[in-house]
Amino acid sequence: MQYLEGRKYVVQAIFLAVALVFAARLFYIQVMDGSYKLAADRNTLQRIVQVPYRGLIYDRKGQILVQNTPVYDLMVTPREVKKLDTLRFCELIQLSLEDLRAGLKAAKAFSRVKASPLVSNLSTPELAAIQDNLIDFPGFSVKAHMARSYNTKNLAHALGYVGAITPAFLEKPKFSKYNPGDFLGITGLESYYEKELMGRRGVQYRMVNVRGIEKGAFRGGEFDTLSVAGQDLHLSIDSDLQAYAEMLMQGKRGSVVALDPKTGEILAFVSAPMFEPATLSGKGMGNRYMDLLNNTERPLFNRPLMATYPPGSTFKLVNELVALQMGVVTPQTGFPCNWKLVRCTHRHEYPSNVGIAIKNSCNPYFYQVMRTAVMRGRSANRFEDARLGLGEWRRQVMKFGLGEKLGVDLSQEKKGLIPSPDFYDKRNGYHRWNFRTVYSLSIGQGEIGITGLQMANIMATIANRGWYYTPHFVKGIGAGGPLPQYRVRHTVGVDPIHFDEIIPGMQGVVDGRGGTGGNASLLDVGISVAGKTGTVQNPHGDDHATFAAFAPAEDPKIAVVVFIENAGFGGSSAAPLASLLMEKYIRGSVAPWRKRWETWLQGPGEKFVRHH
Ligand SMILES: [Zn+2]
């Protein structure tokens, strides 16, 4: 009898493998997850769970990125194991004796009478190699389920992965409908859109007699429910741009975020170092996960969402826009490049207007812009004046989506920090700090912390002259659009007219004579770029390089932010990397004479990444 049971599972699995290959989408896996004996008629009631097909994931051009493939778990029911020939078994399964013993021990600890997995995620060829011989080993059976397979080597940090539900998950009310052994999205989009992707399970109850022959539906099927297939996700990611960005970030640490400013759709999203999404699927994924977790380069760390940096010079633009809106400066306001206030980046012409100040990234200029915006004489007490002024300034700055989570469709996002008056009260004491304490904020340094995603969103907001849609990865669920929150337009409270001087200033950074972002110029291919270089001071080592930009300046189609850790000045590495991405997205390819920048960026990795 036990014998037959085992054989039945194997035969079912073979049938499944064949059927799945041909029937693809229409097929539902049937998993028997329990049987109940009915005392009255000696029949057994079988509960058959239909696991619906998990939704697929496509890129913005309709390319499939993530699909389903059948995999098999070798199950063991300890009580049914009889006179196991361990040597032959280990050879067949290609398992070490230690792993077999540990697996059997764990299975016994779980239950002697219930099946639990001994080896998980065997592929169809791996199953084919063992299934004929499995009949000789009572107590072992095969359980089929669907796993993810990948048509892309990229985007692992956003896609996330699917795995077996853990006991910790099962205790949460959100997962009350899941059973041990079920699969679900653990991280990334797979987790954020779990509800949409998984669909709804169906359950059928069947009567089976003692010989294992089906005797029809239980009570005419009145307790049966139908399964509903999961919905597909259509990402805004451009796979070609994504692959190109990952290639250019090879051997570096940092992040890249590219957005369509008009929609908030994320076009490319890189956290370097990268790994391939398939790393976290299939046989042995547990070990590979531990390798990533223990890697000192921290490849699992989702940098664009989780690493907060002081943004450096790029933040000067927000500072300026807030002051313009408050009416405390005009684009024609000049301030001296006074090195007694704060050191400037270099010696340059007198910043008699904001355009010249932006082009030269003049630190003392933006120090004075913020001081004018904060110290308004609201109180005769200059400590109280700084307190009130900083509070008001911070409220305006936060409208750019800073100091709070933007609400992207991934769960790991950090909110960053725009320090409040309370922050300094706690740190320095009430009325024990003034503008000299906080001036670093004016040039994007000091306590301020911003994520790569937030920085990209600032660029999208400037490109749009004052509004943005929350950045998101999924532009379509099933046949519908994105989640409703991604259709809400947010305004940052700065009138469009104030962008008229900022944007030409940013064009001067890239295309102007002696601008700091000249390496990002695309004038030779007819594209005007508005950008800002930044160098982020790093107390732990070499400075980080940043470049933030959008293009074409007059009708922006892409906004990009590049952070490269420990790469020094932003103009030399981050700027050309961003320009290659903008060129590729706008023109579809990179001009042959600009490929030298690819070579330059892919130069010896040691140049950018230092191992500590
Ligand atoms: Zn200066």
Side-chain angles (χ1 to χ4, degrees), residues 51 55 90 101 132 149 153 161 170 198 254 257 268 277 329 335 397 425 429 439 498 515 538 582 593 607:
V51 180
C90 285
R101 286 193 180 129
D132 287 346
S149 64
K153 294 183 186 308
Y161 71 100
L170 280 168
M198 82 157 286
V257 179
V329 294
F335 289 111
V397 165
D425 284 352
Y439 79 86
H498 297 310
N538 172 22
M582 291 186 287
W593 63 88
K607 195 173 157 189

Side-chain angles (χ1 to χ4, degrees), residues 570-590:
S572 55
S573 55
L577 202 157
S579 77
L580 288 173
L581 294 177
M582 291 186 287
E583 181 182 8
K584 182 162 175 72
Y585 183 71
I586 294 167
R587 297 181 70 242
S589 63
V590 170

Side-chain angles (χ1 to χ4, degrees), residues 336-339 342-349 351 357 360-365:
C337 177
N338 181 354
W339 287 47
V342 56
R343 234 179 101 89
C344 197
T345 53
H346 62 293
R347 298 278 175 196
H348 56 84
E349 65 191 298
N360 292 290
S361 203
C362 182
N363 286 340
Y365 185 93

Side-chain angles (χ1 to χ4, degrees), residues 55-322:
L56 308 180
I57 303 181
Y58 296 85
D59 87 335
R60 72 183 292 117
K61 293 171 181 165
Q63 280 186 45
I64 292 188
L65 303 179
V66 185
Q67 60 188 10
N68 300 308
T69 191
V71 296
Y72 310 89
D73 293 346
L74 181 62
M75 310 293 289
V76 58
T77 311
R79 204 183 66 177
E80 296 172 9
V81 176
K82 299 274 149 58
K83 289 180 196 156
L84 181 63
D85 180 347
T86 48
L87 273 179
R88 203 186 136 216
F89 185 80
C90 285
E91 200 187 315
L92 176 68
I93 311 297
Q94 298 198 336
L95 200 66
S96 73
L97 202 57
E98 297 84 62
D99 285 349
L100 174 65
R101 286 193 180 129
L104 288 174
K105 199 176 160 194
K108 278 178 193 162
F110 169 69
S111 166
R112 284 179 179 273
V113 294
K114 284 185 193 163
S116 55
L118 182 69
V119 181
S120 296
N121 299 318
L122 293 164
S123 65
T124 305
E126 283 168 337
L127 175 73
I130 63 167
Q131 61 194 14
D132 287 346
N133 296 301
L134 217 50
I135 293 161
D136 299 341
F137 298 99
F140 296 92
S141 58
V142 171
K143 183 178 163 186
H145 62 88
M146 283 297 201
R148 288 307 216 186
S149 64
Y150 299 89
N151 291 347
T152 175
K153 294 183 186 308
N154 310 119
L155 200 64
H157 288 95
L159 292 173
Y161 71 100
V162 170
I165 194 162
T166 62
F169 272 105
L170 280 168
E171 282 171 17
K172 295 179 187 170
K174 190 178 162 190
F175 300 106
S176 62
K177 290 199 172 140
Y178 289 76
N179 296 310
D182 282 351
F183 286 75
L184 81 169
I186 305 283
T187 60
L189 296 166
E190 294 275 17
S191 162
Y192 195 91
Y193 290 96
E194 168 67 15
K195 191 160 66 81
E196 289 79 7
L197 285 167
M198 82 157 286
R200 204 178 66 214
R201 277 144 218 264
V203 180
Q204 289 167 14
Y205 297 92
R206 293 280 175 277
M207 308 292 292
V208 177
N209 75 7
V210 285
R211 291 169 192 274
I213 293 165
E214 206 176 292
K215 306 297 277 183
F218 176 61
R219 292 222 197 152
E222 68 171 295
F223 298 111
D224 295 358
T225 53
L226 286 175
S227 66
V228 178
Q231 291 176 286
D232 296 338
L233 298 183
H234 300 272
L235 305 191
S236 54
I237 290 288
D238 180 314
S239 301
D240 297 330
L241 190 67
Q242 177 71 28
Y244 190 52
E246 291 198 18
M247 185 194 82
L248 295 174
M249 286 297 282
Q250 208 61 250
K252 304 175 183 57
R253 262 199 311 263
S255 63
V256 174
V257 179
L259 296 174
D260 177 347
K262 293 191 173 82
T263 58
E265 292 170 3
I266 298 173
L267 302 170
F269 182 89
V270 180
S271 180
M274 300 73 74
F275 58 92
E276 294 184 15
T279 311
L280 296 180
S281 70
K283 191 179 160 193
M285 71 172 270
N287 290 336
R288 290 193 295 274
Y289 177 83
M290 291 312 293
D291 287 347
L292 288 175
L293 193 66
N294 295 327
N295 185 328
T296 53
E297 291 285 317
R298 302 181 70 198
L300 290 176
F301 188 55
N302 198 335
R303 284 176 165 77
L305 300 184
M306 302 175 81
T308 60
Y309 310 85
S313 297
T314 327
F315 185 74
K316 291 168 183 169
L317 302 169
V318 176
N319 175 20
E320 173 70 20
L321 286 163
V322 164

Side-chain angles (χ1 to χ4, degrees), residues 390-450:
L390 183 70
E392 173 63 17
W393 180 85
R394 178 175 181 263
R395 271 191 291 282
Q396 294 291 330
V397 165
M398 285 181 69
K399 287 183 186 169
F400 281 79
L402 305 177
E404 280 174 355
K405 290 182 186 183
L406 278 168
V408 70
D409 40 3
L410 288 182
S411 62
Q412 299 155 299
E413 190 185 0
K414 294 269 179 284
K415 60 183 185 175
L417 176 70
I418 304 297
S420 64
D422 287 348
F423 175 93
Y424 293 104
D425 284 352
K426 276 196 195 110
R427 203 189 67 178
N428 298 46
Y430 182 68
H431 282 186
R432 288 181 152 269
W433 58 272
N434 58 26
F435 183 73
R436 281 298 294 172
T437 318
V438 305
Y439 79 86
S440 298
L441 304 180
S442 68
I443 54 173
Q445 293 178 9
E447 296 79 16
I448 187 170
I450 288 181

Side-chain angles (χ1 to χ4, degrees), residues 359-381:
K359 188 181 147 193
N360 292 290
S361 203
C362 182
N363 286 340
Y365 185 93
F366 293 103
Y367 174 112
Q368 291 165 94
V369 167
M370 182 177 169
R371 190 177 62 187
T372 312
V374 170
M375 304 305 282
R376 309 269 301 265
R378 291 180 177 91
S379 168
N381 178 326

